[in-house]
Amino acid sequence: MSEQLIIFILAAFIGYFVVRGVTPALYSPLMSVSNAISGIVVLGAIGMTGFAENIFVMVCGLIAVFLASVNMFGGFAVSVRMLEMFKSKRKKQ
Amino acid sequence: MNELISLPSAILFILSIRGLNSPRSARFGNLLGIIGMILAIAAVFVFIPFPRLPVIISAMAAGGIIGIISGQKVRMTALPQMIAAFNGLGGLAAVFLAAGETIAGGTGYFTSSIGLVIGALAFSGSMVAFAKLQGILPGRALLFPFQHVLNLLLATVVLILFAGFVFYREEWMFWYLTAASLLLGLLLVLPVGGADMPVVISVLNACSGWAAAGIGFMLGQTLLVITGAIVGAGGMILALVMTKAMNSSLWQILLGGAAKNAKSAAPGRETGNARSGSPEDAAFIMENAQSVIIVPGYGMAAARAQHALKEMSVLLRQKYRVRVRFAIHPVAGRMPGHMNVLLAEADIPYEEIFEMDEINRDFAETDVAYVIGANDITNPLAETDPSSPIYGMPVLNVSAAKTVFFVKRSLASGYSGIDNPLFYRENTVMLYGDAKEVTEAVVRELEK
């Protein structure tokens, strides 16, 4: 637990500095990318479903797998679409 | 060993955000993020008992199809509510995981409660934000009596139940805690008005990250902790950037978004006649200008005038050799960076688009400012009138331009309910009408 707390705080620092460097023009893609990677809870959900010894727990896990997948796939889909728009003009210019 | 597998994914996630430093590296960054996610999921699948795999994969596929289809179909003006909805679902996933852990008799009472409370706040708050942005609920601030007292009371109840569950470990407390947190998220976001949405969406984004971190603590999964921390920190930075651009604070928006509206200044303080012009006038002045700065606001996007605007800028540049630039206020739009995406969608090169700090000095040397669907973000009262509700908010200095065109439906005040003295100035010309129709009329004139 304390080890993970250290990891958490250090990761928050990394997050702070990395996000600080993001150009304001890409704040919307930043939100959808971070949205997508916060879908990482799907790992926990997969684990819970896989090792559940009780049907209720398994259902909870499965619902979480489903919800986190919407979040994750959707977030990446929106990011890809947005970043595609930002790309297209360099060629024309 | 399991921990080591998460390292490459964590690094790839960091690089994926790092890629957003510039539009050039952004797409590659996004690809790295996707690879990181695939690695992480593949590494977990290895440990899952085989008979359970089909059902897990079907749930993922179902969610994935819904996510990808809605991500493909969403209009860019509706992007904020889509992000809000995704955030909310991520929060709800955290709630179900905390519930599952509790049913299974897990011992991480403290950590599961953190994931639960933040996830529930993110879920119900996002649903309200979604409903407001989608127009299901009215976008203005919704007020009810004893709002602050009620919220404070509810927050206290959440804290007590939290402590109660951690110390007494009664399962019923967990369910009450869930209900109270859901209600609190609802009540916190209801009073927030449309123009404060960029802040709220950022905070909800941060919450979905922290909920993931909380679940990571609960399950002892380092990758969730790391990713959640990064997303949480990122969301908070965005929220702070947005509040700074509105000269507001998080507290003011989450607690007192209401109070700000109530004390809006009496209208009509600035008397005088606004001069109105025709699209022909605008076209004539702009084609003879050397430099034009276009200032788009959310009204432009709502009227879907981006493409007309793009045509206008191309005509001015190529036919009349006018220098055309776009100036974007940090809170233009309904989420951070929203206006940039809307202009990018219309194929306007990002080299022509400037943030407020980069371009604000240039208004003094520009011939025409073409303000379309924006109001408060250009209001000089923010700099001169300490009694104004928006006093202190940085604004685009359009009044320094030689001629200012305001494309607007009427003289009505902006979201904050205050009059804009710019309308009545000598060098301001109002172009009344729908943002798209007016701009299209200007384009027709320019084509002649």
Side-chain angles (χ1 to χ4, degrees), chain B residues 210-413:
Chain B
W210 286 328
I215 296 301
F217 281 123
M218 176 182 93
L219 299 172
Q221 291 197 355
T222 314
L223 186 55
L224 270 65
V225 173
I226 296 174
T227 314
I230 293 173
V231 172
M236 282 327 282
I237 292 176
L238 285 184
L240 291 177
V241 170
M242 293 297 120
T243 48
K244 211 177 138 208
M246 297 197 283
N247 189 39
S248 188
S249 71
L250 271 184
W251 289 118
Q252 231 176 333
I253 285 164
L254 292 180
L255 299 177
K260 216 168 63 179
N261 278 7
K263 65 162 191 194
S264 60
R269 184 175 5 177
E270 190 90 11
T271 46
N273 286 325
R275 195 152 59 103
S276 75
S278 65
E280 293 83 52
D281 305 336
F284 179 76
I285 294 180
M286 281 197 282
E287 66 191 43
N288 291 305
Q290 293 199 316
S291 153
V292 172
I293 298 180
I294 299 170
V295 179
Y298 186 68
M300 182 278 293
R304 303 212 212 166
Q306 307 79 306
H307 293 277
L309 214 50
K310 150 94 178 174
E311 269 182 73
M312 186 179 98
S313 70
V314 170
L315 268 172
L316 282 172
R317 189 175 309 110
Q318 293 180 350
K319 194 168 165 192
Y320 300 101
R321 303 278 154 214
V322 182
R323 182 174 188 208
V324 184
R325 285 171 294 173
F326 289 80
I328 295 190
H329 191 276
V331 293
R334 286 290 181 267
M335 69 185 282
H338 193 192
M339 199 54 63
N340 299 80
V341 176
L342 292 168
L343 295 182
E345 190 192 16
D347 247 4
I348 294 167
Y350 58 77
E351 293 88 348
E352 291 168 17
I353 300 169
F354 295 86
E355 302 299 320
M356 180 170 66
D357 296 338
E358 299 170 322
I359 203 169
N360 232 0
R361 282 186 196 160
D362 296 6
F363 280 106
E365 292 143 28
T366 198
D367 300 307
V368 176
Y370 188 84
V371 184
I372 176 167
N375 183 3
D376 289 342
I377 57 171
T378 64
N379 196 333
L381 284 184
E383 284 169 348
T384 56
D385 181 4
S387 72
S388 168
I390 57 169
Y391 181 68
M393 173 173 120
V395 289
L396 284 160
N397 192 19
V398 295
S399 57
K402 284 201 192 90
T403 307
V404 182
F405 289 108
F406 262 99
V407 184
K408 242 179 147 298
R409 284 182 179 281
S410 68
L411 276 181
S413 47

Side-chain angles (χ1 to χ4, degrees), chain B residues 136-200:
Chain B
I136 301 169
L137 284 175
R140 69 194 153 78
L142 286 178
L143 308 175
F144 46 90
F146 305 113
Q147 195 157 33
H148 294 328
V149 184
L150 196 66
N151 283 350
L152 196 67
L153 211 69
L154 198 58
T156 317
V157 170
V158 168
L159 280 181
I160 291 172
L161 284 169
F162 186 100
F165 179 66
V166 171
F167 288 110
Y168 298 104
R169 302 170 180 188
E170 300 276 358
E171 206 182 299
W172 61 267
M173 287 179 173
F174 179 88
W175 303 112
Y176 279 88
L177 181 60
T178 313
S181 309
L182 286 171
L183 191 60
L184 184 61
L186 210 76
L187 292 183
L188 277 178
V189 182
L190 264 181
V192 178
D196 289 335
M197 271 302 161
V199 179
V200 173

Side-chain angles (χ1 to χ4, degrees), chain B residues 59-125:
Chain B
M60 274 190 81
I65 288 169
I66 291 176
I68 289 175
I69 289 179
S70 40
Q72 287 288 334
K73 280 200 165 168
V74 63
R75 279 188 295 113
M76 284 298 134
T77 37
L79 195 64
Q81 49 265 51
M82 177 103 293
I83 300 272
F86 286 155
N87 266 331
L89 296 183
L92 190 60
V95 171
F96 273 102
L97 287 175
E101 181 78 358
T102 303
I103 296 172
T107 50
Y109 301 96
F110 181 73
T111 50
S112 68
S113 306
I114 289 182
L116 169 77
V117 172
I118 302 176
L121 287 176
F123 171 64
S124 60

